Short mmCIF file of all heavy atoms in Angstrom, two decimals:
data_model
loop_
_atom_site.label_atom_id
_atom_site.label_comp_id
_atom_site.label_asym_id
_atom_site.label_seq_id
_atom_site.Cartn_x
_atom_site.Cartn_y
_atom_site.Cartn_z
N ALA A 1 185.29 63.51 52.23
CA ALA A 1 185.43 64.88 52.05
C ALA A 1 184.07 65.52 51.35
O ALA A 1 183.63 66.65 51.86
CB ALA A 1 186.58 65.33 51.20
N ALA A 2 183.54 64.77 50.44
CA ALA A 2 182.21 65.23 49.85
C ALA A 2 181.19 65.37 50.90
O ALA A 2 180.44 66.22 51.02
CB ALA A 2 181.82 64.23 48.78
N LEU A 3 181.13 64.34 51.99
CA LEU A 3 180.14 64.35 52.89
C LEU A 3 180.29 65.61 53.90
O LEU A 3 179.47 66.21 54.21
CB LEU A 3 180.14 63.07 53.74
CG LEU A 3 179.61 61.77 53.07
CD1 LEU A 3 179.84 60.62 53.87
CD2 LEU A 3 178.21 62.02 52.69
N ASP A 4 181.59 65.76 54.25
CA ASP A 4 181.91 66.96 55.00
C ASP A 4 181.50 68.38 54.35
O ASP A 4 180.89 69.14 54.89
CB ASP A 4 183.45 67.04 55.33
CG ASP A 4 183.83 66.03 56.31
OD1 ASP A 4 182.95 65.45 57.00
OD2 ASP A 4 185.05 65.91 56.45
N GLY A 5 181.81 68.30 53.01
CA GLY A 5 181.30 69.48 52.22
C GLY A 5 179.80 69.71 52.21
O GLY A 5 179.26 70.81 52.27
N ASP A 6 179.21 68.54 52.01
CA ASP A 6 177.70 68.56 51.99
C ASP A 6 177.12 69.15 53.35
O ASP A 6 176.22 69.91 53.37
CB ASP A 6 177.12 67.16 51.79
CG ASP A 6 177.27 66.89 50.24
OD1 ASP A 6 177.53 67.73 49.38
OD2 ASP A 6 177.27 65.60 50.04
N GLN A 7 177.74 68.63 54.40
CA GLN A 7 177.31 69.10 55.75
C GLN A 7 177.56 70.58 55.91
O GLN A 7 176.63 71.36 56.46
CB GLN A 7 177.96 68.35 56.88
CG GLN A 7 177.44 66.84 56.91
CD GLN A 7 178.22 66.04 57.89
OE1 GLN A 7 179.34 66.52 58.29
NE2 GLN A 7 177.74 64.91 58.35
N ALA A 8 178.75 71.08 55.46
CA ALA A 8 179.05 72.42 55.70
C ALA A 8 178.17 73.35 54.76
O ALA A 8 177.82 74.41 55.14
CB ALA A 8 180.55 72.68 55.25
N ALA A 9 177.72 72.83 53.56
CA ALA A 9 176.87 73.56 52.76
C ALA A 9 175.52 73.69 53.24
O ALA A 9 174.83 74.73 52.90
CB ALA A 9 176.82 72.87 51.28
N LYS A 10 175.10 72.87 54.13
CA LYS A 10 173.72 72.79 54.72
C LYS A 10 173.71 73.58 56.15
O LYS A 10 172.59 73.79 56.69
CB LYS A 10 173.20 71.43 54.82
CG LYS A 10 172.97 70.71 53.53
CD LYS A 10 172.47 69.30 53.83
CE LYS A 10 172.42 68.53 52.53
NZ LYS A 10 172.13 67.17 52.70
N ASP A 11 174.81 73.88 56.63
CA ASP A 11 174.99 74.41 57.94
C ASP A 11 174.52 75.97 57.91
O ASP A 11 175.28 76.87 57.40
CB ASP A 11 176.31 74.32 58.49
CG ASP A 11 176.50 74.68 59.88
OD1 ASP A 11 175.58 75.49 60.49
OD2 ASP A 11 177.50 74.36 60.51
N PRO A 12 173.39 76.24 58.56
CA PRO A 12 172.93 77.75 58.49
C PRO A 12 173.86 78.63 59.26
O PRO A 12 173.82 79.83 59.10
CB PRO A 12 171.63 77.57 59.18
CG PRO A 12 171.58 76.44 59.88
CD PRO A 12 172.49 75.47 59.30
N ALA A 13 174.81 78.15 60.13
CA ALA A 13 175.70 79.07 60.89
C ALA A 13 176.84 79.41 59.88
O ALA A 13 177.50 80.43 60.28
CB ALA A 13 176.42 78.13 61.97
N ASN A 14 177.01 78.88 58.75
CA ASN A 14 178.01 79.28 57.72
C ASN A 14 177.41 80.47 56.89
O ASN A 14 176.23 80.48 56.66
CB ASN A 14 178.45 78.14 56.89
CG ASN A 14 179.28 77.09 57.63
OD1 ASN A 14 179.92 77.43 58.64
ND2 ASN A 14 179.23 75.92 57.11
N SER A 15 178.17 81.29 56.45
CA SER A 15 177.71 82.38 55.57
C SER A 15 177.31 81.83 54.16
O SER A 15 177.62 80.64 53.79
CB SER A 15 178.87 83.40 55.29
OG SER A 15 179.99 82.71 54.52
N ASP A 16 176.64 82.59 53.41
CA ASP A 16 176.10 82.08 52.13
C ASP A 16 177.42 81.83 51.15
O ASP A 16 177.37 80.83 50.43
CB ASP A 16 175.42 83.24 51.39
CG ASP A 16 173.98 83.37 51.93
OD1 ASP A 16 173.49 82.48 52.70
OD2 ASP A 16 173.35 84.40 51.68
N TYR A 17 178.41 82.67 51.26
CA TYR A 17 179.70 82.35 50.57
C TYR A 17 180.19 81.05 51.02
O TYR A 17 180.66 80.19 50.19
CB TYR A 17 180.58 83.48 50.80
CG TYR A 17 181.94 83.28 50.08
CD1 TYR A 17 182.04 83.47 48.71
CD2 TYR A 17 183.06 82.89 50.85
CE1 TYR A 17 183.20 83.32 48.16
CE2 TYR A 17 184.27 82.65 50.19
CZ TYR A 17 184.34 82.86 48.77
OH TYR A 17 185.48 82.58 48.18
N ALA A 18 180.38 80.82 52.40
CA ALA A 18 181.09 79.51 52.84
C ALA A 18 180.24 78.38 52.38
O ALA A 18 180.70 77.35 52.00
CB ALA A 18 181.19 79.52 54.30
N ARG A 19 178.90 78.56 52.44
CA ARG A 19 178.03 77.41 51.97
C ARG A 19 178.22 77.10 50.54
O ARG A 19 178.30 75.88 50.13
CB ARG A 19 176.56 77.57 52.28
CG ARG A 19 176.32 77.57 53.84
CD ARG A 19 174.83 77.43 54.17
NE ARG A 19 174.02 78.44 53.61
CZ ARG A 19 173.74 79.54 54.07
NH1 ARG A 19 174.23 79.88 55.31
NH2 ARG A 19 173.05 80.47 53.52
N GLY A 20 178.34 78.14 49.69
CA GLY A 20 178.59 77.97 48.28
C GLY A 20 179.91 77.23 47.91
O GLY A 20 180.00 76.37 47.17
N VAL A 21 180.87 77.66 48.70
CA VAL A 21 182.28 77.15 48.48
C VAL A 21 182.25 75.55 48.93
O VAL A 21 182.79 74.73 48.19
CB VAL A 21 183.39 77.90 49.25
CG1 VAL A 21 184.66 77.10 49.36
CG2 VAL A 21 183.51 79.28 48.70
N ALA A 22 181.56 75.31 50.09
CA ALA A 22 181.56 73.87 50.57
C ALA A 22 180.83 73.04 49.53
O ALA A 22 181.19 71.89 49.29
CB ALA A 22 180.91 73.94 51.88
N SER A 23 179.76 73.65 48.95
CA SER A 23 179.01 72.86 47.93
C SER A 23 179.76 72.52 46.68
O SER A 23 179.79 71.43 46.19
CB SER A 23 177.74 73.66 47.57
OG SER A 23 177.02 72.98 46.52
N ARG A 24 180.56 73.53 46.33
CA ARG A 24 181.41 73.28 45.08
C ARG A 24 182.48 72.28 45.45
O ARG A 24 183.00 71.46 44.65
CB ARG A 24 182.02 74.57 44.48
CG ARG A 24 180.91 75.41 43.87
CD ARG A 24 181.58 76.63 43.26
NE ARG A 24 182.08 77.63 44.14
CZ ARG A 24 181.28 78.50 44.80
NH1 ARG A 24 179.99 78.49 44.69
NH2 ARG A 24 181.87 79.33 45.62
#
């Protein structure tokens, strides 16, 4: 799950908000 979150946090297709949530 942490790896998935890290990938989502780095995905430029996601909004800033979504990347922040994924990182947390």
Side-chain angles (χ1 to χ4, degrees):
L3 289 175
D4 287 346
D6 288 339
Q7 289 175 343
K10 294 175 186 175
D11 187 346
N14 291 332
S15 68
D16 290 343
Y17 177 79
R19 288 195 308 270
V21 169
S23 178
R24 288 187 295 279

